[in-house]
Structures are given as structure tokens and as C-alpha cells.
Amino acid sequence: MASSKFNANIFLLQVSVIVLFALSSANAKGLSAKYYSKTCPSVEAIVKKTTTSFISRAPTLAAPLLRLHFHDCFVRGCDASILVNSTKHNQAEKSALPNQFLRGYQVVDAAKAALEKKCPGIVSCADILALVARDAVSAIKGPHWAVPLGRRDGRISKASEALNTLPTPFDNITTLKQEFRDKGLSVKDMVVLSGNTQQYPTIPYQIGGHTIGTGHCFTFTDRLYNFTGKGDTDPSMDPNYIAHLRKKCKPTDILPVAEMDPGSFKTFDSSYYTMVSKRRGLFESDAALLNNKETRAYVRLQASTHGSTFFRDFSKSMVKMGKIGVRTGKRGEIRKHCAAIN
């Protein structure tokens, strides 16, 4: 009897997953790069002007803005739930440990304010966040891609969901593959999005975004001083790189940071893959990319060809990620202020 109930529960879980992906796929079809062509034709120009204005003064904002979009999409889908402030009765995603040091909210808020003056009540915060992430990458010499628009903002934001859903810098390759697969992303998407954005609390998580940004010492010092609890180092890391990092990070350091992509951490490029191929990735999740045939092949391809296909691949994967669990049509809302549900 107990076995029958267990099998029934497994079946219901499988059906729920299938339905979720079916709904996500159907909703994504409602997106279009020309969605605001009649209702707010200047949307992209306004968001770009706002974003580039901030990035020109503070280039290091690019990585956090990219992370904001990633952290948003991986929890409840791309619905701007990461932007919601906590209230007396609810701890929002922003309060979860992996999100506590995210920054760049002021850029999204500024773009929203400008759009509310031009096109009040028309453009969602979720679409603004997707555009800001794209424009931030472009502003630091990264690729530019067409962003499908038409997302609606979600009405729910819970810290507990962010804590249990986001990948971490400590995940192994099996865990990472499953986490990305659960979102409808392929192994290739995972390794492409692995050079550039994750944060725990201020370090990039696993997403092609590790080519920009810095990582706090406490997130990788175990690899330098006490990998297995016996005062040893991580054998998967280049010993010379370990010696270099030890000069920056002592065993008890918390606040000091190290560049994730030394020499070009403010520029979006493919050098991250060269670092990983040389066993010089900061995090265990970086090293994990060499532990799988498919991800290892991609890392070596980009390292040997100076990123011959990286920009194109990254653009495609970002569009794909930007469609995770989107709300379109009458689902969700258009927030008046991105930090608060209407």
C-alpha cells in the first residue's frame, strides 16, 4: 500500500514538472522583440541610455546587473521577483543569503522611473531587467543580442525559494547539470553561462559571467589551505595559482576579494576559459567544468580559439535563459515600482 502511494506521488511529481515546462514554453511564445513597438517604441533607447550612464561611471556594476537577471530567472522564472523588497510580513528573495550582496537595483529603478514618465504602466520590471543585463554586457565590450519582450511581473517573492534554488560556487558537475536541466537549459548553456555571473554572497555563481567580477576570499580559501580538512590544498587547482591567491587571501579572510578573471575582470571576454583550462578557476564550480567530457571540450575550444564562438553562444543562451518561466498575457502584473508588488 505504502509502495503504491509512493509511486503515485512520483507520478504526480513527474506530471507537475511536465506541465510546468509546457506552461513555460507556451508563455515564452508570447514574447517578441517588437512587443512595445506601438505602446512604448522608445523603451530600448531609454533603458540603454540609463544603463550606459551608470556603467560609464562604474564599470564594475556590469557583473552585478548580469547576476540580477540570472538570480531572478532561476527562482520562479524571469518575473522580477528578485527586485521586491521584504516587508513586515514577508522575507523576499532579496533577503536570501545568496542575494544579500547583489547590487545594481538603482539602475533598474532609474530605467523604470524614466519609462513611467514616457510610457506609464506599460513596461514590466522583468523586461527592464532583461534589457539592463544585455546593455550592461554590451557596455563593457560584450555581445549584443535581441531581447524578446512581453514578460509580466510576478506577485510572489520568497527568500526561502531563492535559498533552495540557486546554484552555488561549491556545486559539483553532476549537481550543476541537474540545476540547469531543471530550468530547461542544456549542458552547453551551463558552460556558456559559466564564465559570467554568480554570487555568494558577493561572488559570481556559475554562469558565463565569471569573465567579469571578483570573488570574496572566504568562498574559496578552503581550496588554498584546508580542502579536505587536513590542511591540504585542492589538487585540481594549479599550485602556482594557489601561491598567488595565498598572497591575497589568508585563511580567516572574509572581506578581501580576488579577480575571477585576472587582467580583464572589468571586460567581457573569453579569457575565463583560458584560466579554467589552466586549472586557475577560483571556485570549485569552475574546476568542475573540467570534470565532464562535454563541458571540458567547450572550455578547451574557447581557450584554444580565443573565444571564436563565445559571444554568439552566450547571446543564444542568454535569450534562452530569459524565457525561463515567464508570465505573459494576463498572468502577473505591471508593477508601478519594481521594489513593491502592486
Side-chain angles (χ1 to χ4, degrees):
M1 188 67 165
S3 177
S4 297
K5 288 184 178 180
F6 177 78
N7 290 333
N9 288 335
I10 291 295
F11 173 73
L12 289 174
L13 178 60
Q14 291 173 333
V15 170
S16 297
V17 171
I18 292 172
V19 170
L20 177 62
F21 277 116
L23 287 173
S24 296
S25 177
N27 290 334
K29 291 179 181 178
L31 301 180
S32 168
K34 298 181 179 180
Y35 183 81
Y36 296 108
S37 60
K38 293 182 179 180
T39 56
C40 190
S42 56
V43 57
E44 295 206 39
I46 291 173
V47 173
K48 181 179 180 180
K49 180 180 179 180
T50 303
T51 305
T52 53
S53 175
F54 277 92
I55 298 298
S56 66
R57 300 192 301 271
T60 56
L61 267 179
L65 289 169
L66 184 53
R67 288 181 201 126
L68 273 179
H69 186 35
F70 170 74
H71 282 222
D72 180 47
C73 292
F74 257 62
V75 183
R76 303 194 71 83
C78 309
D79 66 348
S81 52
I82 186 64
L83 305 177
V84 177
N85 287 336
S86 294
T87 66
K88 180 179 172 182
H89 303 290
N90 178 63
Q91 288 295 301
E93 290 175 31
K94 193 183 290 187
S95 300
L97 178 61
N99 295 331
Q100 286 178 4
F101 286 80
L102 287 175
R103 59 195 181 96
Y105 298 102
Q106 72 274 26
V107 182
V108 180
D109 290 339
K112 176 65 171 175
L115 286 167
E116 284 299 302
K117 288 183 179 180
K118 185 72 174 180
C119 319
I122 299 297
V123 184
S124 70
C125 297
D127 277 345
I128 294 172
L129 184 52
L131 288 170
V132 165
R134 189 270 310 275
D135 293 339
V137 169
S138 297
I140 56 170
K141 302 180 181 180
H144 184 280
W145 59 92
V147 177
L149 302 169
R151 300 168 187 77
R152 303 269 290 182
D153 299 323
R155 295 190 177 100
I156 299 173
S157 181
K158 295 184 178 296
S160 58
E161 294 182 348
L163 187 61
N164 297 324
T165 306
L166 288 166
T168 80
F170 316 106
D171 291 340
N172 59 36
I173 193 66
T174 301
T175 300
L176 287 169
K177 286 170 63 177
Q178 187 60 53
E179 288 167 336
F180 277 72
R181 188 182 300 119
D182 288 345
K183 302 302 179 184
L185 300 174
S186 67
V187 173
K188 182 178 180 180
D189 293 321
M190 182 191 76
V191 68
V192 167
L193 295 175
S194 277
N196 279 301
T197 67
Q198 289 191 42
Q199 184 147 341
Y200 198 104
T202 58
I203 65 234
Y205 275 152
Q206 182 74 20
I207 172 173
H210 280 187
T211 184
I212 49 177
T214 58
H216 276 64
C217 291
F218 78 91
T219 59
F220 58 84
T221 47
D222 279 355
R223 302 185 73 198
L224 312 181
Y225 297 100
N226 197 28
F227 188 60
T228 65
K230 299 179 180 179
D232 54 347
T233 59
D234 185 346
S236 70
M237 184 181 276
D238 174 17
N240 292 325
Y241 190 46
I242 289 176
H244 167 74
L245 291 174
R246 279 183 165 182
K247 294 178 182 178
K248 295 175 175 289
C249 301
K250 302 306 178 185
T252 57
D253 281 346
I254 294 179
L255 294 180
V257 299
E259 298 173 8
M260 289 183 299
D261 186 5
S264 65
F265 75 106
K266 293 181 181 180
T267 304
F268 192 98
D269 56 32
S270 63
S271 57
Y272 162 78
Y273 296 104
T274 300
M275 294 295 293
V276 171
S277 68
K278 293 180 178 180
R279 300 189 298 137
R280 293 190 170 196
L282 274 186
F283 309 116
E284 290 178 56
S285 56
D286 294 328
L289 297 180
L290 296 178
N291 296 332
N292 172 270
K293 182 178 180 180
E294 188 173 355
T295 57
R296 181 170 59 249
Y298 188 85
V299 167
R300 290 176 175 173
L301 170 67
Q302 299 309 323
S304 64
T305 63
H306 304 289
S308 60
T309 66
F310 177 52
F311 275 28
R312 182 177 71 240
D313 294 340
F314 187 81
S315 297
K316 289 181 179 179
S317 291
M318 284 299 293
V319 170
K320 193 173 177 181
M321 187 193 77
K323 295 179 180 180
I324 296 174
V326 296
R327 288 154 179 77
T328 59
K330 296 182 179 180
R331 299 178 69 234
E333 63 183 19
I334 304 296
R335 285 185 215 141
K336 296 178 181 177
H337 302 284
C338 293
I341 294 166
N342 291 345

